[in-house]
Amino acid sequence: MRVVVTGAAGFLGSHLCEVLLGRGDEVVGYDNMVTGQKENVDLLLAADGFTFVEQDVTEHLEVPGPVDGVLHLASPASPEDFAEIPIKIMKVGALGTANCLGLARVKGSRFVLASTSEVYGDALVHPQPETYWGNVNPIGERGCYDEAKRFAEALSLAYARQHGVDVGIVRTFNTSGPRFRPADGRVLSTFVTQALRGDPITVQGDGSQSRSICYVDDQVRGYVAMLDHPGVVGPVNIGTSDEITILRLAELVREMVGSTSPIEFVEGRPDDPRQRCPDLSRARQLLGWEPQVPLEEGLRRTIAWFRVHA
Ligand code: UDP
């Protein structure tokens, strides 16, 4: 296959490109390097079949030749980014998604959207099935990301209905693995870095809020499965049901790192989702997909990477 991946220099995007190249696909990767990492591009350029275009996907995409798949992963995704670059986030979710869908339409490609568990907001249903419409504060700090992704989902369906584009939507839940940006600000990279340095581990709020953290290899397998199942629209949750509270995660990371860092409780974030865990029935049914790497194994591999790269 010949596929376009946006956000190719990012955490998920670079892992996805690697898997696609590994199976012999040709990949054209786009990234504007706002949150992407140069090391990820260098690593991909070392493989056969990878072309990199440094461009913001909110601008028109011109890809010569045939394109079998367009996978749109470009977006800043850390709550730290929500505070700093909310307009960029909304533009890539809206204009960027429109450009990617336009490209898929012109080329007759399968289109896969990287959506998010954030579309459920501070969910009132637990675990979250795809049929749940969510509980999002559109004008809160997280609104820029949540609403951009909700708009991107709606736009994908509009292109499917009006132009017959073959769209598939993946709702990604929290993910572990190598290649997080050093100062990403998300919970796992922060806790691991703090534990390795012996700094206090900053638990926001009382730590009773939960997340379910899926290993990146499993997450990326979900995207490939979506690409390889034309006609499946979803949305499909891709994550793990290994749910853990943030306080327990802090303790576990500390234990696994072998650190003596104290745990420090700091102010919680506004609109922070209280409980997050995917219902995975649809992923099993429609994609034959199942997570394989248990939480602790994912943490072990993530910590091993940070020991070398932090
Ligand atoms: N969190 C924390 N300490 C940190 C960073 C995050 O306690 O240094 C908490 C955050 O309040 C949230 C959870 O960890 O409840 C997950 O946050 P993350 O930034 O990873 O992303 P989210 O899942 O909220 O999008």
Side-chain angles (χ1 to χ4, degrees), residues 142 174 186-187 190 202 204 209 211 269 272 276:
R142 305 179 81 97
N174 295 66
R186 271 176 284 191
V187 68
T190 307
T202 51
Q204 296 170 347
Q209 70 273 32
R211 294 294 185 271
R269 291 181 187 146
D272 188 37
R276 186 185 283 161

Side-chain angles (χ1 to χ4, degrees), residues 285-307:
Q285 224 169 51
L286 297 183
L287 302 178
W289 177 94
E290 187 95 47
Q292 289 169 356
V293 182
L295 172 70
E296 292 205 19
E297 176 57 22
L299 295 187
R300 197 188 61 71
R301 295 185 199 174
T302 308
I303 291 167
W305 185 83
F306 270 97
R307 275 191 202 282

Side-chain angles (χ1 to χ4, degrees), residues 59 67 73 101 137 146-147 193 211 265 299:
E59 286 154 25
V67 176
L73 281 79
L101 282 160
N137 174 3
D146 301 10
E147 295 296 4
T193 312
R211 294 294 185 271
F265 289 90
L299 295 187

Side-chain angles (χ1 to χ4, degrees), residues 77-80 82 117-118 142 174 184-188 190-191 194 202-205 207 209-211 246 249 266-269 272-273 276:
S78 168
E80 300 277 314
F82 304 168
S117 53
E118 282 290 321
R142 305 179 81 97
N174 295 66
D184 178 83
R186 271 176 284 191
V187 68
L188 190 55
T190 307
F191 284 2
Q194 290 169 333
T202 51
V203 169
Q204 296 170 347
Q209 70 273 32
S210 72
R211 294 294 185 271
I246 295 302
L249 180 68
V266 299
E267 199 184 335
R269 291 181 187 146
D272 188 37
R276 186 185 283 161

